[in-house]
Amino acid sequence: MKKLFTSESVTEGHPDKICDQISDAILDTILKDDPRGRVAVEALVTNGVCVVAGEITTRTYVDIPRVVRSVIKDIGYTDSEYGFHWETSGLMVAIQEQSGDIARGVDSYKKGKGGEIVKEDLENLGAGDQGLMFGFATNETKEYMPLPIVLAHRLARQLATVRKNGLVKGLRPDGKSQVTVEYAGDKPKRLHTVLIAAQHDEDIDTEKLRHEIEARVIRKIIPKNLFDKKTRILINSTGRFVKGGPQADTGLTGRKIIVDTYGGAGRHGGGCFSGKDPSKVDRSGSYMARYVAKNLVAAGVAKKIEVQISYAIGVPEPLSVRVDTFGTSRIAEDAIVEIVNRVFDFRPGMIIKNLNLRRPLYRQVAAYGHFGRNDLNLPWEKLDKVREIKKRAKTA
């Protein structure tokens, strides 16, 4: 049976992604000097204005305006014609301390007589909030990710690359990609449609731009064997994309959660990732679920797996762990859950410890996806549990 599946991505200059990168750059700056810092920071960008708000508890100092402007400059908003400029746009910061009621359920510190932290009991660290998290993996690509989102991310990154290195002249920072793949059963068969929306200068030759994007972005990235005579290529399908970025579209942290995860092929839990330290299980629990799912698929337990975890605030042990193999497993799903619970420790403090999450990791994944990033050395992408899973699966 033939079926179509579509995923999208956006460039680092998209307004929502600007906000994700700002939030995670602030987090990384804090974790660099204060690994136990508690951070929940969100950003909003609009025409000529950036607002940063949230809750931070830390023993270090962060020059937030400097961090924000550095991110905006690095992305490429360096021309006043874009309506948003790293140096001159307005910036408001509204930060307060984390609620003591939340800290009571999450902190697990032993303090000395002077109030200094003597030891932290990570085994009993409570979840930073209630919630449900999902992780997903499939064997259809080397990234253990669905093909449509892999291609969409590659296209968006290449669009940013040709802008930054000048291979395609007249491009501006905002942009989007979208890929529709035709499947035969569960196997990718052909590229049905590829779409690029690329912001550009006012006086650009639009036909020339389309030709260059097709040659230097689409044909450069997507394997030839996926194209056929019926493949549709759409580039700036309205004919014009001059006004973009925060000048045209208000951005918010956490509004591109499907871009961040599996392109819609797997479920997403209740919260976003960016701007949250790893005590927030929206982030660490989702990374753990991906880690579990990827190792299970790599071990051959199933061709495709989704893992769900749920937590209660202040409680270390998860409320539930569930797997769905979509009928692709060779052993019963309840047996897989038993294997998972024996191999992996789902307590938030142990996730933080075992995946080494209290370090500056996060801005680099705030654009182009948190999963399947073979270009980065991400701890939740490790395949270090495959051997143990295989051993236990033999007796299941």
Side-chain angles (χ1 to χ4, degrees):
M1 182 183 74
K2 294 181 181 178
K3 57 184 179 181
L4 303 178
F5 195 86
T6 302
S7 294
E8 71 161 348
S9 185
V10 298
T11 66
E12 62 213 59
H14 184 280
D16 294 327
K17 275 291 149 207
I18 296 171
C19 293
D20 286 343
Q21 290 167 92
I22 288 171
S23 296
D24 278 337
I26 293 168
L27 171 64
D28 279 354
T29 304
I30 290 170
L31 291 179
K32 182 180 178 182
D33 293 328
D34 182 11
R36 294 191 180 98
R38 294 288 165 77
V39 182
V41 170
E42 299 181 18
L44 176 150
V45 295
T46 188
N47 191 14
V49 178
C50 175
V51 179
V52 177
E55 299 78 47
I56 295 176
T57 301
T58 181
R59 58 177 175 79
T60 192
Y61 169 76
V62 179
D63 186 344
I64 290 178
R66 184 176 181 179
V67 172
V68 171
R69 294 191 187 280
S70 176
V71 170
I72 296 169
K73 181 182 180 182
D74 185 54
I75 290 169
Y77 284 95
T78 56
D79 191 323
S80 58
E81 287 190 12
Y82 300 167
F84 190 72
H85 190 274
W86 74 275
E87 201 168 24
T88 59
S89 288
L91 175 59
M92 185 176 83
V93 178
I95 298 293
Q96 59 184 331
E97 199 170 35
Q98 182 190 51
S99 164
D101 293 340
I102 295 174
R104 285 182 61 195
V106 181
D107 289 344
S108 59
Y109 301 140
K110 294 179 180 178
K111 296 184 178 182
K113 293 180 180 179
E116 74 280 5
I117 296 172
V118 177
K119 186 179 180 181
E120 182 181 20
D121 182 8
L122 283 174
E123 291 188 1
N124 292 305
L125 182 75
D129 200 353
Q130 70 177 53
L132 54 136
M133 299 84 216
F134 289 96
F136 181 83
T138 173
N139 67 359
E140 68 184 68
T141 64
K142 65 181 180 181
E143 293 87 355
Y144 293 91
M145 292 284 286
L147 181 61
I149 191 64
V150 169
L151 296 179
H153 283 323
R154 288 180 188 171
L155 290 168
R157 289 180 67 191
Q158 180 69 3
L159 185 61
T161 297
V162 299
R163 169 179 62 87
K164 289 183 172 182
N165 64 21
L167 279 176
V168 178
K169 304 294 184 182
L171 287 175
R172 293 183 176 183
D174 200 358
K176 289 185 174 184
S177 64
Q178 186 168 289
V179 174
T180 302
V181 172
E182 181 181 304
Y183 285 76
D186 285 330
K187 292 187 177 181
K189 182 180 179 183
R190 59 180 288 270
L191 184 65
H192 180 275
T193 304
V194 57
L195 185 153
I196 295 286
Q199 187 190 13
H200 57 81
D201 290 345
E202 175 83 37
D203 58 353
I204 202 80
D205 182 331
T206 55
E207 284 305 314
K208 180 182 178 183
L209 180 66
R210 285 192 180 105
H211 175 77
E212 289 183 329
I213 289 175
E214 180 173 346
R216 296 184 182 276
V217 178
I218 297 173
R219 299 286 179 179
K220 185 79 173 177
I221 291 300
I222 296 181
K224 292 181 180 179
N225 65 300
L226 290 176
F227 288 96
D228 62 22
K229 293 180 180 179
K230 293 182 179 180
T231 299
R232 297 182 70 197
I233 296 177
L234 302 173
I235 300 169
N236 287 0
S237 51
T238 67
R240 175 183 169 89
F241 185 11
V242 175
K243 192 174 181 180
Q247 185 182 36
D249 182 16
T250 298
L252 291 168
T253 298
R255 233 176 20 183
K256 284 289 175 284
I257 57 176
I258 300 304
V259 171
D260 286 342
T261 54
Y262 309 102
R267 295 179 180 93
H268 194 288
C272 73
F273 304 153
S274 289
K276 298 176 180 178
D277 74 83
S279 74
K280 279 73 171 173
V281 285
D282 282 334
R283 171 160 241 157
S284 54
S286 296
Y287 290 167
M288 186 64 180
R290 162 64 177 176
Y291 177 50
V292 174
K294 184 177 179 181
N295 275 268
L296 287 169
V297 172
V301 171
K303 296 178 181 178
K304 181 166 59 174
I305 287 181
E306 182 181 77
V307 176
Q308 185 197 46
I309 318 167
S310 67
Y311 291 95
I313 187 169
V315 179
E317 296 290 346
L319 302 182
S320 66
V321 177
R322 174 184 178 272
V323 299
D324 185 349
T325 63
F326 308 95
T328 67
S329 62
R330 58 182 182 82
I331 60 178
E333 289 180 353
D334 57 349
I336 298 173
V337 171
E338 186 174 340
I339 292 170
V340 164
N341 284 325
R342 289 181 178 274
V343 174
F344 300 95
D345 193 333
F346 291 95
R347 290 173 295 175
M350 301 313 292
I351 294 173
I352 290 169
K353 179 181 178 181
N354 293 333
L355 296 183
N356 193 15
L357 297 181
R358 282 181 171 166
R359 53 193 170 110
L361 282 171
Y362 302 109
R363 189 195 159 188
Q364 63 184 340
V365 293
Y368 312 119
H370 292 242
F371 307 124
R373 296 294 299 273
N374 290 349
D375 57 312
L376 304 172
N377 184 25
L378 300 174
W380 53 87
E381 294 293 314
K382 295 185 300 183
L383 291 174
D384 57 344
K385 300 294 185 181
V386 170
R387 181 177 296 181
E388 186 176 357
I389 290 170
K390 284 182 176 180
K391 183 178 179 180
R392 292 184 181 276
K394 285 180 181 179
T395 60

